Amino acid sequence: MEAFNNFVSTINGFVWGPVMLCLLVGTHVFLTIRTGFIQRKVFRAIKLSVTPDKEATGDVSGFGALATAMAATIGTGNIVGVATAVGIGGPGAVLWVWLTGLFGMATKYSEAVLSIKYRVKAKDGSFIGGPMYALERGMGQKWLGILFAVFTAIACFGIGNMTQGNSIAESVQNTFGISKTITGVILTVITGLCILGGVQSIAKVCEKLVPFMAGFYILGCLIILIINARYIPDTFSLILRSAFNPSAAGGGFVGVTILTCIRYGVARGLFTNESGLGSAPIVDAAAATRNPSRQGLISMSGVFWDTIVVCLMTGLVLVSTMLRDPVGMDGLIGAELTSAAFGTIPTVGPIVLTIGLITFAWSTILGWSYYGERAWVYLCGTKSIKPFRVAWTLVVFVGCAATLEVVWNVADTLNACMAFPNLIALLGLSGVVASETKKYVWTEGGLDQWMEDEAPVVDK
């Protein structure tokens, strides 16, 4: 098992290596240009996300789809992932995380546009879409669609289920002394109650959970930043300087190269917001929207909240605390670094962090359950829905009790493999994205009038 784990770790290092980072970043930049810098419409996108489109058809509201996608996206990576980037790449990694999110907004927009454009209606009347349908219907490459669905169908049980449950069980045990078994039973029951009702049930929970968990975590960050207020100007200065000269951070970062800083900042940014991996557009396809660009903008706003806001807040908390307490924070990486930073809040700091980790991880379980379900529907049809939901619920308990290093590495590798066929769809159909964007966004009055015609939908 150790030899197998080492082998998988090697493969994982390759698929998440420089080639993948360059492909994703390159796609982000290319689609930013192709869409006319769609990021300029982010504030209109936020307004649209809370504006119901009553004349459109779909399984859930645009906000419901956004909340479900954000539930899967906002996870432990926003907390521990950013801390890992800072701990290894230095304070400057925060800037690269942020820039990755900025350019990733164009990719997230494009994914959602293609998902709506090529979605289909299943036999049970539900809407299904995502990269597999864009590859099959848009490019005529069904084999690539199958490949993406296979990667998603397997990876979801690891990256979106077992590892998240394990993180919750460990956090609860370390903070409150509750055994993993008890946590596993409770988590299994509440997860089953949520997902057995399908996407409508998941979306209703996520619509309430996501604003609460994000707001609760941001409030904790704001309290720490108030405590560290005198160091805030120096925090921004250090992040900007060390982004191009990591040694400027001093301490344990002397000798860290700019390539290391960029690599870890970009990698954590990509992993956190999932732009380009092809996961979020699966739930975007279920959204009630009158045209592809509308949901594309709504989906894009998720990256704004996930990376531009939440990850930035985490980065500011970490770096300002490092300036306030350089000795206590020296040499810490990942979860230890975040725990030390939240220890700034007397008594309740660790509890705030634990609640943040629990809600972030559980929301990921809910969001990824839908991704996995739709992948299995693509491969096996609607008859696979009930067996999948039951299996998903039971695997949550396994994750809480198991040791998952091998599972994490395998799932991480398959998660990266999802990106390759998805990027083919994004690049190959970029002309479609540009055309839809010109028609619905950049045409004079387009955003205000929102033409009545809906995206074509076929039965399957």
Side-chain angles (χ1 to χ4, degrees):
M1 184 60 70
E2 183 179 352
F4 176 72
N5 189 42
N6 291 335
F7 171 75
V8 174
S9 295
T10 302
I11 299 298
N12 195 35
F14 171 76
V15 297
W16 276 109
V19 174
M20 171 62 78
L21 299 185
C22 289
L23 280 173
L24 285 169
V25 172
T27 301
H28 290 352
V29 175
F30 174 74
L31 291 175
T32 293
I33 297 171
R34 204 80 167 93
T35 59
F37 211 109
I38 194 68
Q39 293 91 330
R40 288 183 286 166
K41 297 296 183 180
V42 64
F43 295 109
R44 174 58 71 90
I46 293 172
K47 181 179 179 180
L48 285 172
S49 70
V50 293
T51 304
D53 192 358
K54 298 180 181 179
E55 300 178 18
T57 56
D59 299 329
V60 296
S61 66
F63 180 72
L66 172 65
T68 304
M70 287 185 65
T73 304
I74 296 181
T76 54
N78 296 78
I79 301 176
V80 179
V82 175
T84 300
V86 172
I88 298 176
V94 175
L95 178 64
W96 297 110
V97 169
W98 190 85
L99 288 174
T100 301
L102 178 64
F103 284 98
M105 291 167 68
T107 299
K108 187 75 80 172
Y109 165 84
S110 301
E111 289 177 316
V113 167
L114 294 177
S115 184
I116 295 293
K117 182 74 176 177
Y118 296 109
R119 69 182 178 178
V120 302
K121 185 177 288 187
K123 292 180 180 179
D124 62 357
S126 63
F127 288 90
I128 315 175
M132 50 277 204
Y133 294 94
L135 287 163
E136 177 183 343
R137 299 184 60 220
M139 298 185 66
Q141 301 295 327
K142 185 173 182 177
W143 70 276
L144 282 174
I146 293 174
L147 195 64
F148 175 86
V150 168
F151 289 144
T152 305
I154 300 173
C156 67
F157 282 99
I159 203 78
N161 188 322
M162 296 178 71
T163 55
Q164 304 300 326
N166 192 261
S167 296
I168 293 173
E170 288 192 353
S171 296
V172 171
Q173 186 177 57
N174 294 335
T175 304
F176 303 110
I178 300 174
S179 73
K180 292 183 178 181
T181 301
I182 295 176
T183 301
V185 170
I186 296 173
L187 195 63
T188 299
V189 171
I190 62 174
T191 299
L193 291 174
C194 288
I195 73 168
L196 292 178
V199 67
Q200 290 88 355
S201 175
I202 295 172
K204 286 180 181 178
V205 174
C206 292
E207 285 177 355
K208 297 176 176 61
L209 177 63
V210 170
F212 164 76
M213 71 182 194
F216 184 80
Y217 178 73
I218 290 174
L219 177 61
C221 290
L222 287 173
I223 293 173
I224 296 174
L225 292 177
I226 291 172
I227 295 173
N228 296 344
R230 59 175 293 194
Y231 299 96
I232 299 302
D234 290 338
T235 296
F236 280 103
S237 176
L238 181 60
I239 289 173
L240 292 174
R241 286 186 291 111
S242 58
F244 304 97
N245 180 23
S247 296
F253 300 108
V254 174
V256 175
T257 66
I258 186 172
L259 290 179
T260 301
C261 179
I262 294 174
R263 177 184 176 185
Y264 279 93
V266 170
R268 288 301 93 189
L270 293 171
F271 190 78
T272 298
N273 61 55
E274 297 183 10
S275 295
L277 298 188
S279 50
I282 295 175
V283 70
D284 285 321
T289 183
R290 68 179 66 187
N291 63 63
S293 288
R294 190 180 198 279
Q295 187 58 32
L297 288 169
I298 292 173
S299 183
M300 180 183 79
S301 70
V303 182
F304 174 83
W305 295 116
D306 173 85
T307 308
I308 305 299
V309 176
V310 176
C311 285
L312 178 60
M313 294 293 288
T314 300
L316 293 176
V317 163
L318 295 174
V319 178
S320 64
T321 306
M322 290 167 66
L323 288 174
R324 187 181 63 84
D325 183 18
V327 176
M329 301 286 281
D330 186 42
L332 300 180
I333 298 175
E336 292 180 347
L337 186 63
T338 310
S339 296
F342 271 80
T344 302
I345 306 177
T347 309
V348 299
I351 296 176
V352 171
L353 178 60
T354 299
I355 292 175
L357 287 169
I358 291 172
T359 53
F360 281 18
W362 187 54
S363 69
T364 299
I365 291 175
L366 297 181
W368 268 90
S369 71
Y370 186 74
Y371 298 162
E373 177 185 301
R374 296 293 97 175
W376 281 101
V377 168
Y378 182 79
L379 295 171
C380 306
T382 54
K383 62 180 181 294
S384 66
I385 292 178
K386 288 185 178 179
F388 172 83
R389 292 175 183 173
V390 172
W392 184 268
T393 302
L394 296 176
V395 169
V396 170
F397 179 81
V398 176
C400 289
T403 301
L404 301 175
E405 184 178 1
V406 174
V407 174
W408 178 271
N409 285 331
V410 171
D412 207 13
T413 300
L414 291 173
N415 200 213
C417 289
M418 291 168 56
F420 290 107
N422 182 54
L423 292 176
I424 292 174
L426 285 168
L427 296 175
L429 297 171
S430 62
V432 175
V433 175
S435 176
E436 295 291 323
T437 305
K438 181 179 180 181
K439 179 180 180 180
Y440 291 114
V441 178
W442 299 125
T443 300
E444 184 177 355
L447 273 177
D448 296 319
Q449 295 177 12
W450 289 113
M451 298 175 65
E452 295 296 326
D453 53 322
E454 298 176 0
V457 176
V458 299
D459 292 331
K460 186 174 182 179

